[in-house]
């Protein structure tokens, strides 16, 4: 079974802090990884994708990939209350495989 | 700007009814997927399709079937709805890329309640 694992949380951080979300995967054949944000009652929407080892930055978001450790992370800098949502990590070679999601709460 | 559209946002059906959930994408994507999402269980793959008239079982296909007669349309069918099929159903599409799939585009979801 090819799996993507995430801590379900909730992860609670104060406004302005850095939120760190983590994910591990079992399929070594996975080449691309995605982070989606899902607000309650809504469908997931893409925040970032990463294919190569190392860091990838986009505004307040940084994705990190370590293929040797089979580890993916998402850092959110200057967290805002509007970032409060469930964050889904996804991998998989051709079939998107999703983690169960981490609930993030950013409190004022 | 709509890319993946599901036919209904909310549905209430009776036990034993045959239920059709429709999904249409306008991005010419090859791959389409049906997931269900339940609290604490995340997104679970029901069925997927790589091409017209082609279908493959996902992790939880029991009680479901699918149809893909045209590239842009992927239908999920509940042959005889049961209360344990009450869930949020999400359709998604992707295209194969050089590093595996491209990002998944999701429909708005269908909240199905079986009573």
């Amino acid at each position: 079974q090819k799996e993507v694992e995430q801590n379900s949380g909730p992860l609670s951080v104060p406004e302005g802090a850095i939120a760190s979300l983590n994910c591990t995967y079992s399929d070594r054949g996975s080449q691309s990884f995605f982070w989606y944000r899902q607000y309650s009652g809504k469908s997931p929407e893409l925040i970032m994708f990463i294919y190569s080892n190392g860091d990838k930055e986009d505004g307040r978001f940084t994705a990190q990939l370590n293929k040797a450790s089979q580890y993916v992370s998402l850092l959110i800098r200057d967290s805002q209350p509007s970032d409060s949502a469930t964050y889904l990590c996804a991998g998989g070679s051709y079939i998107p495989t999703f983690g169960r999601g981490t609930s993030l709460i950013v409190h004022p | 700007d709509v890319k993946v559209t599901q036919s209904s946002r909310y549905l209430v059906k009776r036990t034993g009814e045959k239920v059709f959930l429709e999904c249409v994408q306008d991005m010419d994507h090859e791959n389409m997927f049906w997931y269900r999402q339940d609290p604490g269980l995340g997104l679970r793959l029901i069925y997927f399709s790589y091409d017209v008239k082609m279908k493959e079982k996902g992790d939880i296909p029991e009680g479901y079937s699918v149809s893909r007669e045209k590239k842009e349309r992927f239908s999920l069918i509940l042959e005889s709805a049961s209360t344990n099929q009450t869930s949020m159903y999400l359709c998604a599409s992707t295209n194969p890329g050089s590093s595996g799939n491209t990002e998944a585009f999701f429909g708005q979801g269908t909240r199905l309640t079986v009573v």
Side-chain angles (χ1 to χ4, degrees), chain A residues 41-43, chain B residues 6 8-10 34 88-91 106-111:
Chain A
K42 303 294 186 181
S43 56
Chain B
Q6 293 182 227
S8 303
R9 187 74 179 89
Y10 299 95
W34 275 106
M88 170 71 91
Y89 289 87
L90 288 162
C91 174
F106 286 88
Q108 74 274 35
T110 297
R111 174 75 65 182

Side-chain angles (χ1 to χ4, degrees), chain B residues 2-18:
Chain B
V2 175
K3 296 182 172 62
V4 182
T5 303
Q6 293 182 227
S7 53
S8 303
R9 187 74 179 89
Y10 299 95
L11 273 180
V12 179
K13 297 292 182 180
R14 295 193 179 277
T15 300
E17 278 193 79
K18 191 169 186 176

Side-chain angles (χ1 to χ4, degrees), chain B residues 10-29:
Chain B
Y10 299 95
L11 273 180
V12 179
K13 297 292 182 180
R14 295 193 179 277
T15 300
E17 278 193 79
K18 191 169 186 176
V19 181
F20 293 86
L21 303 182
E22 307 284 344
C23 176
V24 177
Q25 51 95 4
D26 63 2
M27 295 169 287
D28 202 34
H29 281 176

Side-chain angles (χ1 to χ4, degrees), chain A residues 32 36 38 41 43 93-94 96 100, chain B residues 9 35 37 40 99-101 104 107:
Chain A
S32 51
Y36 295 84
Q38 186 176 24
S43 56
S93 300
Y94 292 100
R100 295 187 181 187
Chain B
R9 187 74 179 89
Y35 295 89
Q37 186 174 35
S99 300
N101 269 320

Side-chain angles (χ1 to χ4, degrees), chain A residues 83-100:
Chain A
D83 294 326
S84 298
T86 296
Y87 289 80
L88 302 173
C89 173
S93 300
Y94 292 100
I95 300 172
T97 302
F98 292 85
R100 295 187 181 187

